[in-house]
């Protein structure tokens, strides 16, 4: 019976390597998103003398939004691999921040990134209020507030958990 138990444990532990497929998929998605970013940047560069201030601000907010999404993808890839698959053997100095990213702090960083992305999206909506109905504005605001409340609650729960760990 003990040998069966050891076999099951080995299978379960080895299954974590299946996560690599998802992380490599995120690498590919990040590459595609980078191409999309460069296309948007080239489009904005071509319109730099045509856009008025409001249009340029909206375009820059779109680029900032893309950078935040890309950073979120990198954060999930690196910390997910480090936490769930294997430690990085090389480049310890390059990824020294990883020791500080456990599952709880990763959730908070992801939630904070989502709030930042949502904030930029909401600002873009508010700068173009004429294109949206009052109901669309209301729902966008409610969704953003839901993200904010979720992030605050996650932070609060993490603080409680850290307090319990210290005891």
């Amino acid at each position: 019976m003990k040998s069966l138990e050891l076999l099951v444990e080995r299978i379960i532990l080895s299954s974590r390597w299946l996560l690599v497929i998802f992380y490599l998929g995120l690498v590919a998605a990040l590459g595609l998103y980078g191409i999309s970013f460069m296309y948007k940047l080239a489009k904005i560069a071509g319109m730099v003398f045509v856009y008025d201030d409001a249009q340029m601000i909206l375009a820059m907010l779109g680029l900032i939004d893309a950078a935040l999404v890309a950073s979120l993808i990198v954060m999930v890839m690196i910390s997910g691999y480090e936490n769930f698959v294997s430690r990085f053997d090389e480049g310890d100095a390059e990824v020294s921040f990883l020791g500080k990213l456990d599952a709880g702090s990763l959730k908070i960083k992801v939630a904070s990134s989502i709030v930042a992305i949502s904030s930029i999206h909401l600002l873009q909506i508010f700068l173009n209020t004429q294109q949206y109905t009052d109901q669309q504005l209301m729902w966008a605001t409610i969704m953003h507030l839901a993200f904010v409340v979720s992030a605050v609650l996650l932070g609060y729960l993490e603080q409680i958990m850290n307090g319990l760990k210290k005891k």
Side-chain angles (χ1 to χ4, degrees):
M1 205 56 167
K2 188 68 174 169
S3 61
L4 178 61
E5 181 181 347
L6 287 173
L7 176 63
V8 169
E9 289 173 3
R10 282 190 187 135
I11 291 170
I12 290 171
L13 282 174
S14 296
S15 70
R16 75 185 189 280
W17 287 97
L18 293 173
L19 290 170
V20 172
I21 297 166
F22 296 95
Y23 299 131
L24 292 175
L26 287 175
V27 169
L30 185 61
L32 293 172
Y33 201 53
I35 293 168
S36 170
F37 179 86
M38 293 307 292
Y39 173 74
K40 289 176 190 173
L41 180 62
K43 188 175 169 183
I44 292 167
M47 301 298 284
V48 71
F49 298 113
V50 177
Y51 282 166
D52 62 19
D53 287 344
Q55 289 172 314
M56 188 57 79
I57 289 170
L58 283 171
M60 293 300 121
L61 286 173
L63 295 177
I64 292 168
D65 189 34
L68 286 171
V69 170
S71 298
L72 180 62
I73 292 170
V74 169
M75 182 175 34
V76 169
M77 282 187 311
I78 293 174
S79 61
Y81 182 86
E82 177 85 6
N83 284 319
F84 302 115
V85 179
S86 179
R87 300 270 182 228
F88 286 97
D89 294 331
E90 295 181 17
D92 286 337
E94 292 179 33
V95 290
S96 62
F97 63 93
L98 289 176
K100 300 174 187 112
L101 282 179
D102 60 359
S105 60
L106 177 61
K107 286 180 196 173
I108 293 171
K109 288 188 178 294
V110 168
S112 300
S113 297
I114 290 170
V115 168
I117 291 165
S118 174
S119 298
I120 290 171
H121 183 69
L122 192 61
L123 181 57
Q124 287 173 321
I125 289 172
F126 285 159
L127 290 174
N128 279 320
T129 54
Q130 68 278 6
Q131 295 179 2
Y132 298 93
T133 66
D134 288 344
Q135 188 173 11
Q136 288 172 317
L137 291 170
M138 177 192 68
W139 281 111
T141 304
I142 289 171
M143 285 190 292
H144 175 70
L145 290 174
F147 291 140
V148 170
V149 169
S150 296
V152 169
L153 288 176
L154 276 173
Y156 180 68
L157 289 173
E158 183 68 14
Q159 189 176 12
I160 290 172
M161 294 304 290
N162 285 338
L164 291 174
K165 287 178 188 175
K166 290 179 183 175
K167 289 183 180 181

